[in-house]
Amino acid sequence: MFGGTGNDRSVWRDWRDWRDWPARIGGLWRSSLQFRTVTITVALSGMAIMVVGVYISASVGNDLFQSRLNQVLVDSNRATTAAQGIFDASDAADRVEVQTLVGSARTLITAASSSQMIAIFRSPGQDASTVAPQDSSSFGDSTGVITPALRLQVQEKAGEQFWQSVTLATDDGALVPGIVVGSQLTVPVAGRYELYIGYSLADAEATLAFVQRTLGIAGLVLILLIGGVTWIVVRFVVTPIRVAAATSARLASGDLGVRIPEKGEDVIATLARSFNGMADSLQSQIKELADLSEVQQRFVSDVSHELRTPLTTIRLAGDVLYDHRATFPPAVERTAELLHTQVERFELLLSDLLEISKYDAGSVQLETEPTNLVHLAEDAIEGLRSLGDSEGTVLTLVAPGGHLDADVDPRRIRRIMHNLIGNAIEHGEGKPIIVSVDSNESAVALSVRDYGMGMSQAEMAHVFDRFWRADPSRKRTIGGTGLGLSISLEDAVVHGGWLQVWSHPGEGSCFRLTLPRSANGTLSSSPSPLPPADAGGGTAAGETGGHYA
């Protein structure tokens, strides 16, 4: 037994449901240049063939009709002339002789016209005559095709022929096109009569139908041939484009060594050479940038390490001076205090630079353990309570559902909380700060909400940039290095989490940290709302402003 593969059967089942065809064809139209080109070519070719076919069919039909009409008029005129000649040569005087004469004329008309449909009617408006023969017709069910308008024309003008296109009924009840030709005869003693001869156009109709069928079949075959030829030709053009698209995608994904095969001397080969040259140049520049970045990272790391030894010496000397500052004159005492403060800030800066260099080098290793974010938040708040009190800021912890543990690196999460709460104190203008922790089955979220000056959309776009400050002229309350939020973002990302911000001028800001509860978990939503429930304006992170980690 032979059978298709499982994929073939699956594709067949997919296409067997005709209700899905519009969507599938629409998707194929959007995704396939070859399908679009062939479809457009076949459609336009079909329209052109249809127009030509209609024109040819109409021309052939008109020619067939005109040819048959000319023949009919000649035959009818010959039959009418022959019949009138019999009447003119006759000396019939009584009813029987006239009747016999009309019968002979009818036989002659049938032979001369090659038609079995003959009608002879006595023209109205004449005196009654006992000699005149009765009207006769062999039209059968088609007698009604002899219209009053046609009879009126025949009655008014003797010696002329008049014709009319009609539909005739055959013996089996079928309807076929035909022509009725009328003329006037003069019968001895009986007076004027109308002669009508019917001609069937069934043969011409059959010929036209054959021509139309031939044109239709030929047109369909021609469309299929055009479609096939177009498919083959377009395939030769589209295949290199597909190769170029696939190569571009691989190049964009980081495979810098991929290239397009170069064959021939045509425009496709020129495109391949140009693309490969661009890829070589791009690879070279990226390598140079990577080497430069590596050198820069190594430089920052080496400088940070090398500065630790002299900084330790300076710190020891500064501590000695700071401890004995009370014995110095006021100016020297102030200098010792400034030296102590700036040395501490320098140490923090070195520590942050080392941390940033680890992230840049991709050498960060998490030390995760089940951790309760509420306890971390409590510790961070207590550590910054004195700073908040000095600024007149009230720190409040709200934890409606945050008592669930999460697999995180507590040192890094504690650093994020310290940065977010310290940042809120610095920019909160002495107003209350609410720290909230919430959770659901898959995530834990911590939000820090202040009601200070807030930020504009342009400022929010840079809030996580290194060394960026919303107001460069404003002093730093807690002696920050300008790297706190940048490191916090990196800490959130390395946990697979989000660090997002909402802010609006005059309404304060809200930073939200969302972390998966498991070490390898993924996030789809956050338990904590953003913008916060009490927000009166601004935009949520991820809508028109803010920042997504």
Side-chain angles (χ1 to χ4, degrees):
M1 294 292 290
F2 293 94
T5 64
N7 289 336
D8 292 339
R9 290 192 293 268
S10 176
V11 171
W12 169 246
R13 285 195 300 269
D14 290 343
W15 280 97
R16 192 168 53 186
D17 190 354
W18 60 269
R19 291 171 295 184
D20 294 337
W21 285 7
R24 294 183 181 277
I25 293 174
L28 190 61
W29 174 270
R30 292 188 297 271
S31 62
S32 176
L33 174 62
Q34 187 173 2
F35 177 76
R36 286 201 305 272
T37 303
V38 173
T39 301
I40 293 173
T41 302
V42 170
L44 294 179
S45 300
M47 292 175 61
I49 292 173
M50 183 179 66
V51 171
V52 173
V54 170
Y55 172 76
I56 293 176
S57 177
S59 298
V60 171
N62 290 334
D63 289 344
L64 287 173
F65 177 80
Q66 193 63 43
S67 176
R68 182 58 174 157
L69 175 61
N70 293 336
Q71 181 183 0
V72 163
L73 293 177
V74 170
D75 291 347
S76 176
N77 184 63
R78 183 171 59 248
T80 302
T81 301
Q84 188 63 54
I86 292 177
F87 291 143
D88 292 342
S90 174
D91 56 355
D94 58 20
R95 178 182 179 85
V96 175
E97 291 177 347
V98 173
Q99 188 71 36
T100 302
L101 183 62
V102 171
S104 299
R106 185 184 185 92
T107 302
L108 181 61
I109 292 172
T110 301
S113 64
S114 301
S115 174
Q116 299 297 323
M117 289 181 288
I118 307 295
I120 300 177
F121 304 138
R122 191 166 188 264
S123 298
Q126 301 182 72
D127 296 336
S129 173
T130 58
V131 179
Q134 297 294 321
D135 294 346
S136 62
S137 173
S138 60
F139 273 77
D141 295 335
S142 301
T143 304
V145 300
I146 304 174
T147 62
L150 179 60
R151 293 196 62 181
L152 183 61
Q153 287 180 314
V154 173
Q155 293 166 10
E156 290 179 348
K157 295 183 180 180
E160 295 186 19
Q161 290 189 121
F162 299 93
W163 63 274
Q164 189 174 50
S165 295
V166 296
T167 301
L168 302 175
T170 62
D171 295 338
D172 56 1
L175 299 178
V176 295
I179 298 175
V180 174
V181 180
S183 59
Q184 194 177 113
L185 295 173
T186 302
V187 180
V189 181
R192 291 178 289 108
Y193 275 78
E194 304 165 22
L195 172 63
Y196 298 97
I197 306 175
Y199 296 90
S200 174
L201 298 182
D203 293 341
E205 183 182 39
T207 302
L208 180 60
F210 173 77
V211 171
Q212 291 175 338
R213 284 196 303 271
T214 302
L215 288 174
I217 295 173
L220 180 60
V221 172
L222 185 57
I223 289 175
L224 293 177
L225 289 175
I226 291 174
V229 171
T230 305
W231 181 272
I232 294 173
V233 172
V234 173
R235 185 178 182 85
F236 282 114
V237 177
V238 171
T239 298
I241 296 177
R242 287 177 177 169
V243 173
T247 305
S248 300
R250 292 176 59 186
L251 187 66
S253 65
D255 187 1
L256 301 180
V258 67
R259 296 293 183 270
I260 299 177
E262 300 179 18
K263 298 179 182 179
E265 299 294 334
D266 56 12
V267 66
I268 299 299
T270 303
L271 172 63
R273 286 191 292 271
S274 300
F275 180 89
N276 292 339
M278 179 191 68
D280 292 338
S281 176
L282 183 63
Q283 184 179 21
S284 176
Q285 293 181 16
I286 291 178
K287 186 177 184 303
E288 291 179 2
L289 291 174
D291 293 341
L292 179 62
S293 177
E294 184 178 354
V295 171
Q296 182 181 8
Q297 294 169 10
R298 188 182 303 114
F299 174 78
V300 173
S301 179
D302 292 345
V303 168
S304 300
H305 279 290
E306 292 299 327
L307 286 177
R308 280 193 172 277
T309 300
L311 180 61
T312 301
T313 303
I314 295 173
R315 175 63 183 270
L316 291 174
D319 287 344
V320 172
L321 295 176
Y322 184 75
D323 292 339
H324 294 82
R325 66 185 183 281
T327 62
F328 298 150
V332 178
E333 179 183 3
R334 177 57 180 163
T335 301
E337 292 175 351
L338 291 175
L339 177 63
H340 178 76
T341 301
Q342 293 304 314
V343 168
E344 285 185 342
R345 186 163 181 262
F346 196 14
E347 283 185 324
L348 291 175
L349 179 60
L350 279 179
S351 177
D352 288 347
L353 285 174
L354 282 172
E355 193 68 24
I356 285 292
S357 66
K358 291 179 181 179
Y359 277 113
D360 290 341
S363 60
V364 174
Q365 297 293 329
L366 292 180
E367 299 178 0
T368 61
E369 60 183 62
T371 305
N372 192 307
L373 262 67
V374 175
H375 296 163
L376 292 184
E378 290 174 345
D379 294 342
I381 290 175
E382 289 302 320
L384 294 169
R385 181 81 67 182
S386 60
L387 177 62
D389 293 342
S390 65
E391 296 292 328
T393 300
V394 177
L395 300 175
T396 304
L397 175 62
V398 178
H403 292 276
L404 294 175
D405 292 345
D407 292 330
V408 297
D409 186 335
R411 180 181 67 86
R412 298 181 185 279
I413 300 305
R414 186 180 292 109
R415 180 167 61 194
I416 294 176
M417 293 181 178
H418 185 275
N419 284 330
L420 295 182
I421 297 174
N423 187 70
I425 293 174
E426 184 175 0
H427 301 88
E429 298 182 327
K431 297 178 181 178
I433 295 175
I434 300 176
V435 180
S436 60
V437 182
D438 206 347
S439 63
N440 56 27
E441 295 180 354
S442 60
V444 179
L446 176 136
S447 297
V448 179
R449 173 77 163 103
D450 70 75
Y451 299 87
M453 63 189 69
M455 293 181 290
S456 65
Q457 292 294 314
E459 291 172 335
M460 283 203 308
H462 299 283
V463 71
F464 293 103
D465 293 350
R466 298 175 184 180
F467 299 108
W468 181 83
R469 300 178 67 181
D471 184 2
S473 64
R474 187 171 62 248
K475 70 180 183 68
R476 292 188 181 272
T477 304
I478 58 177
T481 64
L483 295 173
L485 289 179
S486 300
I487 295 176
S488 297
L489 178 60
E490 299 287 355
D491 286 336
V493 171
V494 79
H495 281 86
W498 301 336
L499 183 56
Q500 301 160 286
V501 60
W502 167 91
S503 188
H504 193 263
E507 295 188 18
S509 304
C510 181
F511 286 81
R512 182 181 70 181
L513 170 67
T514 307
L515 301 170
R517 289 184 56 201
S518 59
N520 297 321
T522 58
L523 297 177
S524 59
S525 62
S526 178
S528 180
L530 195 71
D534 59 356
T539 56
E543 293 180 358
T544 58
H547 190 97
Y548 261 73

